Amino acid sequence: MQHSELGLFGTTVYVLSLPLAFVAMAFLPETRVQRDNEAHKGILNGFTALKELRILYTVFLSFAVFFILFSVLIYVPFMLQNVLGYTAKGAGIVLAFQGIAVILIIPRVKILASKHSTMLIIATGFTLTGLAIFSVSFAYSIFTVLLLMLLFGAGFGLAQTAIDAQIVQIAPSESKGSVLSIHNTMKYVGQSLSPIVLGIVLSHFDLDTVFRIAGSFGLLVALITYLMKNSFEKPGDKHIKETKISLSNQ
């Protein structure tokens, strides 16, 4: 299958999945949105909380990290097949390396959070993921790809874990549930938009361009996050390092 056909197919599938999801939410009894005043008030409080820059940016980070994750999960197998001749089974084994790195890095995030600011940890995570994805476009050996998957997994583990801890810390108590719901929803928005946006890129260019754009996005987010780290250290805030670090609702 040609790159343009592949990108068009992937884009079409995900474009159709979004409206179908909304239809399911609206009509299925199990997923129907409650319309009582209390539920509406909770949602409104959640969106009102987004007026605070720290909360809004952290919610964006949850979108960004999953947008980047799915650029790897979806397009690295295509690269392995086209460049290295790997089958789906082989590609799955390669992708497992990033999962191994995530498992190894998570227990160490709490230690890092006790020594460094959470925003610095997040920026470091996005830097590692951005560099790994960008470098995939120059990888022509399986050994290199495996190393890049380990690097990506380490970066994702750092960023995702710290982002989840940060939103719990900064969300106001009166609307914490709604804010966390919005936060988790943005993860699914990120994983849905990733194949749509990058599928359009693939239909016009090639896989190398896809990886370079996704990697550049990760590096840009890392830079912005680093520049904003002082905005997250307000007087009276309890430092994020005291938050119990956990990887939940992935």
Side-chain angles (χ1 to χ4, degrees), residues 93-184:
I93 295 175
V94 172
L95 288 177
F97 275 71
Q98 65 92 18
I100 293 173
V102 172
I103 294 172
L104 293 176
I105 200 67
I106 287 175
R108 292 162 176 77
V109 176
K110 188 173 183 179
I111 299 174
L112 293 172
S114 67
K115 301 177 181 179
H116 307 285
S117 70
T118 306
M119 288 293 279
L120 181 59
I121 295 173
I122 295 172
T124 302
F126 273 102
T127 299
L128 295 179
T129 57
L131 286 174
I133 300 172
F134 194 93
S135 299
V136 169
S137 63
F138 303 102
Y140 298 102
S141 70
I142 188 59
F143 179 73
T144 303
V145 174
L146 290 176
L147 288 179
L148 292 176
M149 289 302 96
L150 288 173
L151 182 64
F152 176 86
F156 178 82
L158 286 174
Q160 166 65 11
T161 309
I163 291 168
D164 279 354
Q166 180 160 273
I167 195 65
V168 171
Q169 178 65 34
I170 64 178
S173 57
E174 64 274 11
S175 58
K176 188 180 294 289
S178 298
V179 171
L180 292 179
S181 295
I182 296 171
H183 172 81
N184 288 323

Side-chain angles (χ1 to χ4, degrees), residues 11-242:
T11 300
T12 301
V13 170
Y14 278 89
V15 167
L16 291 176
S17 69
L18 291 175
L20 287 175
F22 285 116
V23 170
M25 288 177 60
F27 293 102
L28 291 181
E30 295 82 358
T31 57
R32 186 172 297 146
V33 178
Q34 298 297 320
R35 292 179 172 83
D36 55 87
N37 292 332
E38 184 176 351
H40 276 196
K41 183 179 179 181
I43 293 297
L44 288 175
N45 286 341
F47 281 105
T48 299
L50 295 181
K51 293 180 180 180
E52 183 181 347
L53 178 61
R54 297 187 306 160
I55 296 176
L56 179 63
Y57 187 72
T58 303
V59 169
F60 164 75
L61 289 174
S62 70
F63 160 83
V65 74
F66 272 79
F67 183 97
I68 292 172
L69 172 65
F70 273 72
S71 70
V72 167
L73 296 183
I74 293 176
Y75 293 103
V76 166
F78 296 152
M79 174 267 184
L80 291 171
Q81 181 180 15
N82 295 339
V83 177
L84 300 176
Y86 270 60
T87 62
K89 180 179 179 181
I93 295 175
V94 172
L95 288 177
F97 275 71
Q98 65 92 18
I100 293 173
V102 172
I103 294 172
L104 293 176
I105 200 67
I106 287 175
R108 292 162 176 77
V109 176
K110 188 173 183 179
I111 299 174
L112 293 172
S114 67
K115 301 177 181 179
H116 307 285
S117 70
T118 306
M119 288 293 279
L120 181 59
I121 295 173
I122 295 172
T124 302
F126 273 102
T127 299
L128 295 179
T129 57
L131 286 174
I133 300 172
F134 194 93
S135 299
V136 169
S137 63
F138 303 102
Y140 298 102
S141 70
I142 188 59
F143 179 73
T144 303
V145 174
L146 290 176
L147 288 179
L148 292 176
M149 289 302 96
L150 288 173
L151 182 64
F152 176 86
F156 178 82
L158 286 174
Q160 166 65 11
T161 309
I163 291 168
D164 279 354
Q166 180 160 273
I167 195 65
V168 171
Q169 178 65 34
I170 64 178
S173 57
E174 64 274 11
S175 58
K176 188 180 294 289
S178 298
V179 171
L180 292 179
S181 295
I182 296 171
H183 172 81
N184 288 323
T185 298
M186 291 306 294
K187 297 178 182 180
Y188 296 105
V189 174
Q191 72 183 45
S192 297
L193 285 183
S194 181
I196 294 174
V197 174
L198 297 178
I200 294 173
V201 173
L202 181 58
S203 67
H204 290 85
F205 300 98
D206 55 19
L207 277 172
D208 288 344
T209 304
V210 168
F211 293 129
R212 289 166 189 168
I213 289 178
S216 297
F217 176 64
L219 293 173
L220 178 61
V221 173
L223 176 61
I224 296 173
T225 301
Y226 179 79
L227 294 176
M228 290 185 63
K229 63 186 179 67
N230 291 335
S231 301
F232 281 73
E233 298 176 359
K234 290 186 175 181
D237 283 339
K238 193 177 180 181
H239 197 275
I240 194 71
K241 69 183 179 181
E242 298 176 1

